[in-house]
């Protein structure tokens, strides 16, 4: 494959590019779903092709083709340069890519049990079995799924990078829905999106779907008759780690994407409330809040050896003890900000332009246990498992809903609450965090469906998270 | 042959491993040859094949310059087989012979090893599709300079305001064949230009789409976005409460996504998650809603992913629900016929509309505003998420321009607001005070769109300011 990517780069340079890179990506994926005791969908997809970026002046061009031949590679390189030349009709300020020593290497994720080696009947049987269990325990609708992605990619750049990687990702999800007279209630496990990682089938076995199926079905049924989460202007709120992963993803991860901060996503995904001039001094949250973007975490969904520009994976400090100190970046955005590349540029296929994506953006653990948080709360609400998520285009104002809540009274977990929601303004909310879960509760949550960009790209991101307590939060917003 | 012609050409040599290798002549020929390969391996298999190819391009701009500009050749084959009711599907990019043979082997292997699918609905029978075609040669082969020219016009028309947006063109040819004898071809082009202009305190947006790139006026769209940005500058807070609203077309298209996905979707109805009951007046008499691939203002091809011909389907007539959307699978469970609403993801999601049309009203958007006593004019919705599918309670925010209207006149811009609102209640009998006469085509991907007007609604529940 290195011959192909090299030919593509050379063709782009011959067509006038001053920099070019090319990626061959081969991806095989599988998505199996079961519903109410039967596998109802099994889809596989094989994708292979080459994508080329060319830089002429300060203008980028990209071209992709689903064909792996020397002729196609050269044609893709030539046409990428043609597109870049058209971009220069509406050109921007001068652009130098952030310096990055050329890397040569190979990297593979660790996969203890090859998911493709697990018989289809076993995989299907697992999903069918847990959906039957959920039906038996009160669900009106029971769904389960697993997904596998197996990606190989080869990168060459005109600066001498030569990198190849093999990444296996997999995971599973299940949920139970109870249908009432006026509304539906749903419980998911391990989270609304399931749980995924750069791991093999061993991850799915560790999830223990069968052991959790009865509980979530019973909880979904019980929620139909539970009291609604009260509408309170200010209360103590404890969030479980799955909801914390969503909180981090939406209100921190996207906000610190440098392309958003620079306005490159202004028309679509939006911008950010953060101003680069305040990096290093702005208070993002309380002293307990330390967040890193670390693509080196073993098994986490946002891990890799090199990003799609060939920058080696490395941890980047984002928020340190409550102060905003870093961003997610690539070579072009980092150059404009005057910082080194954060190595956070990825594309979801050969046919998409690499762009700034979250790696593993998450909290470092704190000193408290969940039990300590509950015991220390006299009057409050606890919520977990994301159900809805909405945040403004500057990533400042959010309103999130969870599947389940509980009253906290006198330091004890009380009644179950349905339709719990909370809302807030990001720095105020994070500033109110006064208790943070410890390392024993640290979970590397994987989000396999992060949408961004035009044409849309689906990113796989990781979010180390622990439970946390926030003070004075508005809860129970209803229509 | 130019590079563009070469990339659009069909060149798949297909072999059935018996030595017969020949060059495919078009997309339907590739589909036929894949069916032939399936029959050679499993004579009794039911099989359906979709072949798509073309070229897609998107030029993005931000801060007044083009910062991302990409194009791609698309070649895709989707194969679904059923062996004694055991079904499986797979797809691949590219048309190479080895890959196609692997695809057939793989899908058959998976089908043999998966459990029986009790709801396998069988294949679509041979039936012609409507003779409509949403296609423009110039758009299908538009060079990047043509997209850049429209971006230039948009940026220049914003007259110094910061701009961002995108211009896309795509041409897609689709062929479908199944072992029950259904054989269809179609093609579609689409062009879209959308963007925002921004001041230090505000933003305004505009968008347009068409089958023809030539129909898109970058200058007009840039001026509209800039005017909205300037008119919404220095907005002030408004107390969250219930207000009457005029929602511009992007908001209306957004509402319809939820109503279709969780309401008119046959799967949601069958599972009891939908509010929809056939024959019930869920909506105001002013609402008439269709899915119509034959509308000349629409995009896409005239058949769905299962080879079922699309037709003009009246979903809501004068407020009364008159149809539920079905794939072959959901139709079988409901004891009815497919309405032609299967997509590639229907296995997971159920029936999906591709050509939503809201019947136009009798007055322009400006007249809807003029009849508002005290309310808000809203340009766009943003980040809408459903809290409960049954009640259709959705939360989201306003974006790109909101204005307070009193006694029919715009009095001031207001800052963005968060809402938490049941979309069904918002359109309930008596709740719709007017439907606009001007409609905008809002794209949903490259082969689906909604043709929608503005709506004047009696009440909308704003639950917070975007600043807290």
């Amino acid at each position: 494959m290195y011959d192909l990517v090299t030919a593509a780069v050379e063709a782009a340079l011959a067509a006038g590019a001053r920099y070019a890179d090319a990626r061959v990506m081969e991806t095989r994926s599988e998505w199996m779903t079961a519903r109410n005791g039967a596998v109802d969908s099994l889809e596989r997809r094989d994708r292979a092709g080459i994508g080329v970026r060319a830089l002429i002046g300060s203008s980028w061009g990209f071209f992709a083709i689903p064909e792996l031949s020397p002729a196609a590679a050269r044609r893709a390189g030539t046409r990428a340069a043609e597109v870049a030349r058209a971009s220069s009709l509406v050109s921007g300020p001068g652009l130098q890519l952030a310096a990055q020593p050329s890397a040569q290497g190979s990297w593979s994720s660790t996969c203890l049990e090859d998911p493709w080696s697990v018989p289809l009947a076993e995989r299907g049987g697992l999903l069918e079995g847990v959906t039957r269990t959920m039906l038996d325990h009160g669900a009106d609708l029971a769904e389960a799924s697993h997904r596998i992605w197996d990606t190989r990619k080869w990168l060459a750049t005109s600066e001498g990078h030569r990198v190849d990687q093999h990444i296996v990702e997999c995971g599973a999800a299940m949920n139970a829905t109870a249908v009432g007279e006026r509304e539906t209630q749903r419980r998911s496990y391990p989270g609304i999106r399931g749980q995924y990682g750069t791991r093999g089938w061993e991850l799915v076995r560790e999830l223990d779907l069968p052991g959790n199926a009865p509980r979530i079905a019973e909880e979904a049924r019980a929620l139909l008759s539970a009291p609604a989460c009260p509408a309170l202007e200010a209360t103590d709120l404890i969030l479980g780690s799955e909801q914390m992963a969503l909180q981090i993803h939406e209100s921190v991860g996207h906000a610190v994407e440098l392309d958003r901060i620079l306005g490159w996503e202004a028309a679509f995904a939006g911008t950010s409330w953060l101003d680069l001039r305040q990096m290093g001094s702005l208070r993002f949250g309380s002293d307990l809040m330390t967040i890193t973007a670390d693509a080196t975490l073993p098994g986490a969904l946002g891990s890799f050896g090199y990003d799609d520009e060939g920058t080696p994976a490395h941890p980047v400090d984002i928020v340190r003890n409550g102060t905003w100190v870093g961003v997610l970046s690539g070579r072009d955005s980092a150059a404009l900000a005057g910082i080194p590349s954060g190595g956070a540029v990825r594309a979801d296929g050969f046919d998409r332009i690499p762009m700034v994506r979250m790696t593993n953006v998450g909290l470092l653990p704190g000193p408290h246990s969940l039990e300590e948080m509950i015991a220390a709360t006299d009057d409050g609400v606890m919520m977990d498992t994301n159900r809805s998520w909405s945040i403004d285009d500057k990533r400042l104002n959010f309103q999130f809903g969870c599947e389940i809540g509980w009253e906290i009274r006198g330091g004890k977990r009380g009644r179950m609450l349905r339709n719990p929601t909370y809302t807030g303004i990001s720095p105020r909310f994070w500033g109110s965090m006064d208790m943070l879960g410890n390392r024993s509760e640290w979970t590397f949550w994987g989000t396999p469906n992060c949408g961004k960009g035009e044409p849309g790209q689906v990113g796989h991101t990781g979010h180390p998270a622990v439970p946390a307590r926030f003070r004075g939060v508005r809860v129970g917003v209803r229509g | 042959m130019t590079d563009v012609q070469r990339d659009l050409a069909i060149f798949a040599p297909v072999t059935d491993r018996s030595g017969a290798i020949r060059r495919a002549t078009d997309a339907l020929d590739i589909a036929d040859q894949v069916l032939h390969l399936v029959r050679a391996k499993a004579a009794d298999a039911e099989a359906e094949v979709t072949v798509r190819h073309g070229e897609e391009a998107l030029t993005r701009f931000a801060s007044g310059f083009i910062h991302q500009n990409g194009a791609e050749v698309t070649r895709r084959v989707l194969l679904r087989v059923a062996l004694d009711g055991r079904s499986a599907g797979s797809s691949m990019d590219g048309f190479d012979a080895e890959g196609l043979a692997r695809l057939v082997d793989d899908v058959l292997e998976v089908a043999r090893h998966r459990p029986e699918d009790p709801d396998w609905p069988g294949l679509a029978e041979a039936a012609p599709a409507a003779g409509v075609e949403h296609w423009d040669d110039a758009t299908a082969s538009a060079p990047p300079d043509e997209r850049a020219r429209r971006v230039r016009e948009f940026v220049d028309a914003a007259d110094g305001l910061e701009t961002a947006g995108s211009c896309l063109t795509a041409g897609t040819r689709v062929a479908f064949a199944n072992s029950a004898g259904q054989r269809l071809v179609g093609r579609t082009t689409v062009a879209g230009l959308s963007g925002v202009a921004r001041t230090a305190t505000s933003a305004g947006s505009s968008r347009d789409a068409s089958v023809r790139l030539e129909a898109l006026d970058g200058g007009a769209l840039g001026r509209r976005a800039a005017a909205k940005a300037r008119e919404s500058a220095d907005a002030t807070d408004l107390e969250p409460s219930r207000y009457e609203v005029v929602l511009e077309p992007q908001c209306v298209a957004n509402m319809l996504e939820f109503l279709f996905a969780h309401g008119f979707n046959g799967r949601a109805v069958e599972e009891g998650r939908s509010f929809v009951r056939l024959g019930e007046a869920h909506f105001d008499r002013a609402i008439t809603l269709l899915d119509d691939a034959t509308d000349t203002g629409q995009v896409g091809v005239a058949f769905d992913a299962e080879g079922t011909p699309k037709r003009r389907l009246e979903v809501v007539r004068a407020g009364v629900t008159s149809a539920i959307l079905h794939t072959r699978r959901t139709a079988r469970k409901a004891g009815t016929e497919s309405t032609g609403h299967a997509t590639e993801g229907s296995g997971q999601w159920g029936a999906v509309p591709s050509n939503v049309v809201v019947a136009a009203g009798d007055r322009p958007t400006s007249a809807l505003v003029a009849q508002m006593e005290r309310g808000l004019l809203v340009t766009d919705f943003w980040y809408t998420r459903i809290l409960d599918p049954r009640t259709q309670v959705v939360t989201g925010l306003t974006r790109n321009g909101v204005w307070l209207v009193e006694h029919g006149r715009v009095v001031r811009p207001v800052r963005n607001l968060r809402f938490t609102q049941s979309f069904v209640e918002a359109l309930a009998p008596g709740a719709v005070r007017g439907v606009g006469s001007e409609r905008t085509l809002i794209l949903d991907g490259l082969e689906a769109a909604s043709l929608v007007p503005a709506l004047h609604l009696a009440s909308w529940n704003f639950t917070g300011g975007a600043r807290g």
Side-chain angles (χ1 to χ4, degrees), chain B residues 369-380:
Chain B
V369 173
Q371 69 187 16
M372 216 164 17
E373 184 59 29
R374 186 168 193 267
L376 293 170
L377 169 61
V378 182
T379 304
D380 293 340

Side-chain angles (χ1 to χ4, degrees), chain A residues 56-410:
Chain A
I56 292 180
S58 60
S59 299
W60 285 107
F62 175 82
F63 196 85
I65 185 166
E67 183 185 338
L68 297 178
S69 71
R74 287 192 295 271
R75 201 156 69 243
T78 302
R79 291 201 61 189
E82 289 174 8
V83 175
R85 194 162 282 111
S87 299
S88 67
L89 297 175
V90 192
S91 61
L95 175 65
Q96 295 298 325
L97 300 178
Q100 178 61 50
S102 61
Q104 288 88 34
S106 298
W107 187 86
S108 296
S109 58
T110 300
C111 174
L112 300 180
E113 184 175 10
D114 180 1
W116 304 111
S117 72
V118 180
L120 263 181
E122 181 183 338
R123 285 186 267 147
L126 171 68
L127 303 185
E128 291 185 335
V130 296
T131 56
R132 278 195 297 269
T133 301
M134 288 187 279
L135 291 178
D136 291 344
H137 285 78
D140 293 308
L141 169 64
E143 300 170 299
S145 64
H146 80 252
R147 302 187 71 165
I148 303 166
W149 300 269
D150 190 336
T151 304
R152 296 173 192 270
K153 47 188 176 181
W154 293 259
L155 167 73
T157 76
S158 57
E159 295 178 351
H161 296 78
R162 295 287 184 279
V163 170
D164 60 86
Q165 302 187 78
H166 180 200
I167 301 174
V168 175
E169 306 154 282
C170 79
M174 66 177 179
N175 63 76
T177 298
V179 179
E181 266 307 299
R182 294 184 49 80
E183 64 181 23
T184 61
Q185 291 294 338
R186 167 181 156 138
R187 287 292 286 132
S188 306
Y189 177 83
I192 183 175
R193 297 163 191 85
Q195 173 64 316
Y196 303 87
T198 49
R199 301 179 60 193
W201 194 253
E202 69 275 8
L203 183 155
V204 176
R205 295 194 192 282
E206 289 168 14
L207 293 177
D208 186 19
L209 298 183
N212 287 278
R215 175 181 58 80
I216 64 169
E218 289 158 7
E219 287 177 348
R221 176 61 53 190
L223 279 166
L224 284 175
S225 54
C229 176
L232 302 170
E233 282 302 310
T235 193
D236 288 351
L237 172 66
I238 298 172
L239 295 179
S241 74
E242 194 263 8
Q243 177 61 24
M244 282 295 289
L246 182 281
Q247 183 73 48
I248 294 164
H249 179 100
E250 300 293 353
S251 71
V252 182
H254 280 305
V256 300
E257 291 167 341
L258 185 53
D259 53 353
R260 295 180 67 116
I261 294 171
L262 293 172
W264 293 358
E265 294 291 323
F268 188 62
T271 58
S272 173
W273 64 279
L274 296 168
D275 182 335
L276 272 182
R277 290 169 296 190
Q278 296 176 300
M279 190 163 70
S281 61
L282 179 84
R283 289 299 291 179
F284 202 120
S286 72
D287 288 346
L288 282 173
M289 183 186 189
T290 290
I291 285 188
T292 62
D294 187 354
T296 70
L297 296 176
L301 190 61
S303 293
F304 46 79
Y306 304 84
D307 79 350
D308 283 347
E309 293 183 318
T311 302
H314 61 281
V316 176
D317 285 348
I318 300 295
V319 177
R320 191 185 303 130
N321 299 327
T323 301
W324 174 43
V325 295
V327 294
L328 296 157
S329 63
R331 294 187 64 191
D332 53 359
S333 56
L336 288 174
I339 58 176
S341 171
V345 163
R346 285 186 289 167
D348 76 351
F350 69 88
D351 55 348
R352 291 292 180 262
I353 299 173
M355 63 190 306
V356 174
R357 302 309 304 248
M358 286 177 233
T359 56
N360 299 303
V361 179
L363 275 164
L364 297 189
H368 307 105
S369 68
L370 178 60
E371 288 69 30
E372 287 171 336
M373 290 179 216
I374 294 170
T377 302
D378 188 48
D379 188 359
V381 176
M382 178 174 162
M383 303 182 192
D384 201 11
T385 314
N386 182 247
R387 186 173 187 187
S388 68
W389 62 102
S390 174
I391 188 164
D392 76 327
D393 59 340
K394 293 184 187 303
R395 298 281 151 174
L396 187 60
N397 171 296
F398 59 82
Q399 180 170 313
F400 299 143
C402 291
E403 290 183 351
I404 191 166
W406 295 271
E407 279 181 344
I408 306 292
R409 290 277 184 276

